[in-house]
Amino acid sequence: MLDHFALAETIRTSKARYCRYVDTQNWAEFAALFAREPTIRFFGEDGIALAEFDSLDEFLAATKAYLAGARTIHQVHNDEIEVITEEEVRAIWSMEDYLLFPDGDDVRPASMHGYGHYHENWRLEDGQWRLAHLELHRTILEIKPKEIAA
């Protein structure tokens, strides 16, 4: 018999690690949280897709490049965890993130501060619970541009 409480705690712990691994840029451990073929989507406040990935390698490469040299914090709160089957869990999390980008970078802004909700499906794969589907729907995204020297 499946212990729903224990399973919810497992998913909470995995999501906490997701946040920590992104913030510490521990890419090997971060990658291990995902299913072999995940779908990953990011949506802006207006509901328009900002980024879409069907390859873990492409998602990791883009994430590593975008966060290189950045200082970040990612937090999740108010989880809604629903056991669908013995091999699938659905979760929704309120989220907040704050990203500070290094000076001297003309491509990325000075900072980003956002809020929203992660909508996820976790799947039991090779005896481990892994992220199979992730969507981030932004409700607020504040982007501070770099100041241009006069």
Side-chain angles (χ1 to χ4, degrees):
M1 173 149 197
L2 189 63
D3 182 342
H4 288 224
F5 181 76
L7 178 51
E9 284 303 308
T10 297
I11 299 301
R12 284 185 192 102
T13 299
S14 294
K15 189 61 179 185
R17 288 179 178 149
Y18 171 103
C19 294
R20 179 168 54 93
Y21 294 154
V22 167
D23 293 335
T24 60
Q25 299 191 14
N26 185 339
W27 303 122
E29 295 293 337
F30 183 68
L33 294 172
F34 287 86
R36 284 183 291 277
E37 296 181 19
T39 56
I40 302 164
R41 308 285 186 258
F42 298 94
F43 297 91
E45 299 165 285
D46 54 8
I48 294 175
L50 301 174
E52 300 182 11
F53 301 94
D54 292 315
S55 159
L56 181 57
D57 290 340
E58 289 175 14
F59 170 63
L60 289 172
T63 302
K64 287 180 196 180
Y66 194 70
L67 296 181
R71 294 178 294 143
T72 66
I73 186 70
H74 290 77
Q75 298 181 349
V76 292
H77 316 277
N78 307 324
D79 57 85
E80 301 171 53
I81 298 175
E82 178 185 3
V83 178
I84 305 302
T85 69
E86 291 191 7
E87 296 182 352
E88 185 178 5
V89 171
R90 185 176 301 138
I92 300 173
W93 317 83
S94 298
M95 64 77 66
E96 177 180 6
D97 59 1
Y98 185 57
L99 296 75
L100 292 170
F101 296 101
D103 292 333
D105 179 338
D106 295 335
V107 177
R108 297 176 291 181
S111 66
M112 291 174 50
H113 190 187
Y115 302 86
H117 299 95
Y118 283 110
H119 295 255
E120 301 173 340
N121 284 64
W122 292 75
R123 183 183 318 127
L124 190 59
E125 189 175 277
D126 302 325
Q128 298 292 317
W129 285 95
R130 301 187 194 279
L131 259 170
H133 179 79
L134 177 149
E135 289 185 6
L136 173 55
H137 294 265
R138 295 284 188 176
T139 56
I140 299 170
L141 184 57
E142 300 170 338
I143 298 175
K144 180 180 175 187
K146 290 239 172 46
E147 294 186 19
I148 299 172

